[in-house]
Amino acid sequence: MSTAAPPSRKVPTAQIVVVILLSFVAIIPFTVRLQPFTYEQPPLHAKRQLLKPSVADPSSRKIKKEIETLEHDLESLEKEFTELTNEFSQVASTKASTNSQPKNKQRNKKKKEDIDFEKEFPNTNTNTEVKPDRFANFKEREPKKWWIRKDLFGDASQQTAISRRRNLLIYDEGKQPQQQDEDNGAIIPFDLSVNHLQLVDRAPGSPYTDLTVNEDFLPVVLQSDIAFRWRSRARPNSLTQDGLKTTAYQIIARQAYSDNEDDLLWDSGRVDVTDGLPDVVRYSDTNMQIGSVIEWKVTVWDSSQPDAKSSSSDWSKFAVGPSQSEWQGRWISHPVDLQSWDKTDASAFWSPTAGMKGTHDQRVACGNWEKRSQLPVFRTKLPTLDIADDDDIATALLVVSGLGSFRATFDGKPLSSSGPLDPPLTDFAQRVSYRGFDVTPYLSGDGAKSEHVVGIAMGSGWWDHRPIAGSFIRLFFLPHGAVTCVAQLYLTYKSGKTEVVIPTGDESSGWQVAKGHLRESSLFTGEYIDLKSKADFHGWDTSQNWKELYSDASDEASIHAWVMPQRYTSDTTLEKWRHHLHVKAKAVPMKSKDEMKPLHKLSPIGRLIPHESPPVLPMERVYPDEILDLGGGRWMIDFGKSFSGMLRFDNGLPEPIVPSGGYPRGHDVNTLATDESFITVVYGERLELYTHDINLPLVAGMGLHDGGPRHRSKKKGDPETKGGPCYPKDHIEAGSLMQRDVYILPKTGDGKGSFSDARQSHFTTHAFRFAEICCSEEPPSDVSALAYRSSFKEWGDFSSSNVRINGGYELVKNAMNANLLGVQSDCPHREKIQYGGDIIADSPAAMHLYDMSAFYRKVVLDWADQQWDNGAYSGTSYWLMLNDQTGIGTGSGETVWASAPVVMTARHMQHYGDIDFLERTVDKHMKWLGFLHEHFDRGMLKKGYKEDLDGYWKSGSGLGDWLGFRQRDTWLTHQGFYMASARSVAYIAEKLGITGMKLDAALEISNKVKERIAGLYLKYNQGFLPPDSRGKFMSPAQEMGLFSRIVPGDRRCTVLRHYFTRIGHTWPGSAEMNFLEHIDKETKESMKASGEVTKRGKKDAMGWSQWHGFNEGIFAVRYALKTLSETGYHNVALDKANGFGVGTWEYMLSHNATTLWESWWRSEDLYSHNHPMLGAAAEWMVSAVAGLELEPTTTGGREVQFWPRFPNDASTLSYASATQGTRRGDFAIAWEFIDVHQDTTTLHIRAYVPPDGKAVLRLPEHRNGEGVDSILKKALVLPDIEEAKLMSDDVCASRRKSKLHGFGYNWEFDRNTMLWMKFNRNKSIGTPCRHFLFHSHLDKAEWDHPITEPGTSENGIEVILTPGLYDVVVDDWKLEPEVKSTGKEWRIGDRKEYYMSEDLGPYCSDSDSFEWNIDDASHLI
C-alpha cells in the first residue's frame, strides 16, 4: 500500500485538490470537439540526447503558495457547492412533490434547476424524507435465472465416436493390437510439491554454474506435517476421453541416492479416487526420519476403458527437518556484536528524534551499532567421520538459519543463489525460517574421508539494520539483536543410523567467527564492500585457508581475527516484548509508565520452522539495453525495465579514476579514509526529467524523492534531520537516502585485492531500471543484473491485439515481480513491507500470475503472529504503528487493511483447496470477528461517523479506496470489509463443516452490515450513495455495491443507471500543469481536439475520465471493470482500459513506465513508480477480456468459467487470450475475429481444459441478451499441447526482441527547446502475441462432428466442458461502432446513452447474482 504521506501530513493532490475540482464540476465549460486519438507521432529522432540542467522548474515555494491558495478557497467553494447548476436537470425523470419552503431571501432567488438539483440530491441538512427516483419510469426486466447449463458433449453419440476412434488406435487396420507400455496413460502428473513447496533445480537467473549441489531450493518439512500434491497434464496424441480424470494414484518414497528402487520408505499402494485428482495426500507414518533426504514420485491411472492406463512423474525431492525441540544447535554471534548493546537500545527510537544530534539514548544506540556494523562470517571444519567398513553415508542434510540474512557454502561453493532475504521477514521473536541443503554429493564415497568446511556469510537484513528513525517506516518496532546464525548437519547412514554433527553453540563443533569484507550491509541503502578484505579472506570457507584460533598473535588486534563465537542469549522474554507492543499499539491499557518502552539489549528469537514459502532467488538475468557515457567517468546503464536486484560484474570492475570536476551527486563517499579508492553504483527507477541524472527514489520512508537538483520539493536536510544521529553522513550531500553499493580498495598496500574481484552485492536488493557507475575510464565489461523475487511458479499469462491493454498487464506483472520478495511489499525501495489493503486489492492478479499457495499461506500466518490478544489485526503483517489512527482503535488497523488475513484465507481455499490451512487459522479469524462485533460500532462513532451519516461526505478517517482521483468513501469501505470479514468467517466455517452458533453468528453479522449499508445508501436516493448529495463524487460507489452483492436485486438496474451518471473532471496536479506549460501550440491544440486537455477555469488542464480512463482507487478499479463486464457493458470497461491521457496505462507508458505507478498521475517527488497497488485490473483482463476465471464457488481451482466478452468494434480489440494455472493443471482460452467487415465478422474461440479439470463455457451473445448460433466441436485426440506452447513462446520472444510491435512512443523533455516532445521509440512492452491455442500445430487436431447450438433471446447458455480441446465458431457476429459523444461528454462526461436506455440488458436482472452465496469466494468483497 502507499502510505507515502505520513499520517499527519496532507497530500494536496489527493485530498485538497480533489475537493476543489469536484466543486467545479457543474460550472466549468467544456468546448472540445471529437477527434479520436491516433498513434501519429512527431518525426522520429534517431539519437537520444542527454539533457543537461538549464533553467529551474517552478520552485517548491511557488507550489506551496498555490496549495495554500487552494486551501484558502476551499471553505468558500464548499459553500458555493449547493448553488451549482444541475447538469442532469434536463434528464426526464419523476419529480417529487415537496412541502419544504425557502428558508431565506437568497434561497428564493435560486434558479429552478438549482432547486431541482437540491430536491434530487438533497444536502445533509434537508434529508428528511425518501425522494422518488428519477429513473422510476423505466421498466426493467423481470428477475430470472439467466444462464441455463447444458451438457452438449455427454450424449451417447459422443461416446460412440470416441469408442470408434479408440478401436482405430488399437487395431491398426485389422492387424494385431499395438503393444501398450505400462507408462503410457493419458494423464501425466507434474509439478510435484510437498506442503505447497516445489523443488527448484536452478534459478533461471543464477550466476553460479559450478555448483556441486543440484538444486537452488530443497523443500524441508516436519515429520508430523507432510502433504503431497501434484498437477495433471495430457499426454500428447492421447484420446481425450481417456484423460478426463485421475481414477487412482500411488505415491512411493525412498531415500535419495538409493541404489535399490524397491527399498522404499513409503508406498501408498494404489488408491482409487472417484472425483479425480485429490486436493492433498497426507503422510502419517514415521519411516521418514528427521534429517533424511527423500525422493518421491507419483503414478496415476487415467480414465481409459476397460482398463485404466498409468503414467508416472519424474522423481522429486524433499527433506525432513527438525522441529524446534529437535534442534541441538544454538544461536551464536561474534563477541563484539553481543557486547555492543545497551538496555536503552531496544526503544531508543520509539521517541521522536531531535534532529541530527538525536536524544542521548539514540546517540548511544548509534554508537553501539557502528561498533558492529562490519558483518561477520562463520565457519567450521567437519570432524573426521568414523564410518564402519560395511556402512556409508546415505544422505547428508545441512540445516541453517541466520538473522539478519545468510548465505551458506560448502568447501567454498555456494549452496544456493539465495541470500538477499534469507530468511524472509517474519516476526523473528515468534518464528524464524531455516533452510535445508542436500550436501550428500560432497560426503558420499571418498568424500567422507576428505576435509570439509561449512561457511556462513551474514548480512544485517531486517534484524540489525542501521538505526534510523525514518518518517513512517518505523523499523525500530521490529525485534532486533546481534547478527547471529544457527546450524547443524544430519548424517544418515545406509545402516539406518542418524547422527547430528557440528551444531552451533557446542564448543566441540569448532565454530569460528570473524569480521568479513562487508563493512556495512543494508536492505534499503546497499553495501560497502571491502575488496582488500575480500582478497585477504579468499578461501576463508575452504580447508586450504584454514587456521586455528589465534594462530597468529597479530590476529588478536585485527577486526578480521578468527575468534570463538558466543551464544546469543536474550535478556527479555517474548511475553514482555509483546506486552510493550500491546501497550504502544493501545491494544491494552497502560497501567504504568514502565510499560511504555522495553528495556533490554537483545530481542528474543522465536521457534525455528522450515521455510514456509519459496526463497527469494534470481529469477532472471537482465542485460543492458544501452550504456551511456555521461562524461567524467560516469556511466549510465539502462536495463529496459524496472525490477529488484543488483548489478553483477562477471569480469569485475575497471580501475577507478577521480573526476577532475569533483564527484557527481550521489557518488561522493566522504566517510572513507583518504588513502582509499572506490567505485560507486547508484540505482534508480527513472531519470530526472530535466537533467537526465538518475532520480533517487524514496528509500526507507525518508522524506521525499529529491526530484533531481532542479526539481526539489523538500527542504535540504529534511530527511537527515528526521533520520537522527545514524543517518549516513555520505548520503547527506545527495539530499536523500540512496540505493547505492560502494566497492572500496586502498590506493596503496600489499598488492592484495583488485577491482577486478568485484562481483555483486549480496544482502540487499535495489529497485531500479537505471544504474550509474562512477568513476572509471571505461564501463565495466560483461555487466548484467540479477532480478530477484520469491521463486514460486509463474503459471498465468495474457495477451491481446491491443498494445495499451497488454502494456497495462506488463506494468502490473513487472511491478509484482519487483515486490514479491519473501513478503508482498507495496514498493521495493521505500517500505518493503506488507500492507493488508495492497494484498486484498492485488491478490486476484497475483494468484492469476503465480502459484501463490505457499506464499499466501505464509502471509496469513504472519498476521496470525501479529494478532493482538484482544483479537485485533493490524494493517501490516508486523505492527509498525502505521496508520493506526485510521482504524477503529484498541489496536486495530484500518478495517480494510486489517481484514486481509481472513479474506485471504477464503481466497486461498478457493484457489488451492487446503482444508488443513483453514483448520489452522479459523480460531484466529473468529477472534477477529469477535473483536469487530464488540468494538466496531463504538469505534466508528468515536471516529466521527454518525449512525445516520449526518454531515458525512468527505474522506472521514480511513484509507479506504486509496489514491484515486476522487474523495474516498471510508464509511462504506469500513463497513464493507466488516461485512467481508464476517462473510469470510462464514465461508471458512462452512467449508470446515462447522454448524450452529458460530456459523449462524457470522452470517447474521454479514447480513446485518449489508442491510445497514443498503439501508442508508438507498434511503434518500436510489443511486446507492451516502445521504449527502455530494457523496456522488466519492469512491467506491455503485460499483462496489453491485460487485459485492450488497445492492438488493430489485434495485440493481436502477443503481446501474445511477452509476452511468458519474462524471470525471480536470486535474490540477503540478506535474501535469507544468507539462502543459512546456508543449508547443500545435501539440496542445491536438490534445484539446482529442479531449485530453480542456479548461479548468481560465487555464488549460488535463482531464481525468470516469468512462475513458481510470479515476478509481485500489479497490474500485477492479469493482468498476468487473461490474461493467458482468452487467453487459464490457465495451465501456474496454474504453476505460484503452483510454489515453492522465489516469490511464497509456499515460504511464508514454512517460516511459515499465512498472505500475503508485498514482494515476505523474509524481516526481512523493509517489513510487514501482508499485502494484493499482494492479487489480490485470485479473479483469484475464477474466473478462480473454474470458477465463475460477468458477466463484469452486475450491482448489477445480472448475473455471470461460466467459469471453467481446468489443462492439474490432478496432478496439480483435483477439485476446489467457492461460490460468490452478492446482488441477493449466486452463486456457483464446478468441479472435476473422474476416472483419464493416458490421460483421466470424468469431473463433478455442478453449482447453486439462485432465482433472472442469469448466463451463458461456456461449457468445450480444449485450442485450440476443443469442447467436454457435458451432462447437471437441478434439477426439489431443495434439501436443506442450510443444505448441514452446513454439508459440519462441515466436513471441522473437517479436518482443525486435521491439517493432510494442508501445511506440515517449514524451521526453528537450532541453534545447525547453519543450516536451513526443518521440517514436521502439519498445517490447505491450507486444501482442498469439496464443498457443491458435498455433498451426493445433490445427492438425482430429475433431469430432460439430454441434450447432441455436441462439436464444430467452436465456444465456452455459455449456459443460470436460477435459479436452474445444473449438467454437460463430458466423456473422455483429459489430457496431462505439458511440462517441461530443463536447464535455466525450471524455469526462457521463454515459447518457446508457442511463437513458429503455433496456439495460439481462445481466442486471440475473437472479443468480442478486445475493451473495456462502460458497462464493469471488464476491466476498
Side-chain angles (χ1 to χ4, degrees), residues 657-953:
I657 63 171
V658 177
S660 58
Y663 284 97
R665 180 179 64 101
H667 292 283
D668 191 10
V669 187
N670 55 24
T671 55
L672 302 180
T674 56
D675 65 341
E676 290 182 317
S677 58
F678 59 89
I679 287 181
T680 51
V681 183
V682 176
Y683 300 84
E685 61 185 2
R686 64 192 189 280
L687 300 182
E688 204 281 317
L689 294 176
Y690 301 97
T691 67
H692 276 200
D693 287 330
I694 203 163
N695 186 291
L696 305 180
L698 186 61
V699 173
M702 293 302 301
L704 305 176
H705 296 279
D706 72 322
R710 295 190 177 275
H711 193 69
R712 195 179 299 274
S713 59
K714 67 175 188 306
K715 296 178 181 179
K716 184 176 181 179
D718 180 62
E720 52 267 24
T721 298
K722 291 182 178 179
C726 252
Y727 189 92
K729 305 299 186 292
D730 54 359
H731 286 233
I732 292 175
E733 186 60 31
S736 180
L737 272 181
M738 295 179 286
Q739 297 181 115
R740 184 178 72 176
D741 294 328
V742 183
Y743 295 87
I744 307 162
L745 188 68
K747 297 176 182 177
T748 59
D750 56 10
K752 284 189 177 182
S754 169
F755 281 94
S756 64
D757 296 333
R759 289 294 179 267
Q760 67 177 84
S761 52
H762 279 289
F763 300 109
T764 184
T765 57
H766 306 292
F768 67 101
R769 170 181 171 176
F770 301 95
E772 279 186 9
I773 300 174
C774 188
C775 297
S776 61
E777 293 284 1
E778 298 291 335
S781 64
D782 228 358
V783 61
S784 62
L786 306 181
Y788 278 79
R789 73 160 168 82
S790 291
S791 52
F792 34 64
K793 183 182 183 66
E794 182 179 324
W795 65 11
D797 65 52
F798 167 86
S799 190
S800 76
S801 60
N802 190 298
V803 172
R804 292 180 188 170
I805 295 177
N806 295 345
Y809 181 83
E810 288 191 54
L811 293 177
V812 175
K813 179 179 176 179
N814 290 342
M816 284 284 190
N817 281 334
N819 281 277
L820 293 167
L821 299 167
V823 296
Q824 183 173 332
S825 62
D826 70 322
C827 52
H829 35 55
R830 189 182 63 206
E831 292 156 82
K832 296 180 183 271
I833 59 173
Q834 293 185 140
Y835 287 94
D838 298 57
I839 291 174
I840 290 177
D842 293 340
S843 56
M847 294 165 112
H848 152 66
L849 282 163
Y850 317 103
D851 176 4
M852 302 291 283
S853 53
F855 189 94
Y856 277 148
R857 182 183 60 177
K858 174 191 173 294
V859 165
V860 174
L861 295 177
D862 288 344
W863 254 280
D865 278 351
Q866 174 280 316
Q867 187 175 39
W868 303 124
D869 292 344
N870 64 7
Y873 286 127
S874 72
T876 53
S877 61
Y878 189 90
W879 180 79
L880 296 174
M881 204 169 76
L882 294 170
N883 305 303
D884 284 13
Q885 78 285 354
T886 64
I888 59 172
T890 325
S892 175
E894 206 272 5
T895 310
V896 181
W897 269 243
S899 297
V902 64
V903 171
M904 289 308 303
T905 301
R907 288 179 177 174
H908 194 280
M909 182 65 190
Q910 182 190 31
H911 281 258
Y912 311 118
D914 190 345
I915 198 75
D916 296 330
F917 183 52
L918 299 188
E919 293 175 346
R920 183 174 178 181
T921 57
V922 61
D923 289 343
K924 292 279 187 177
H925 301 326
M926 286 185 171
K927 193 174 180 180
W928 160 243
L929 184 58
F931 169 85
L932 289 174
H933 183 62
E934 180 180 354
H935 296 279
F936 184 85
D937 291 345
R938 183 168 62 251
M940 291 290 282
L941 289 173
K942 287 182 179 179
K943 290 173 69 63
Y945 298 99
K946 298 180 181 179
E947 289 186 359
D948 60 356
L949 288 187
D950 181 32
Y952 168 70
W953 75 278

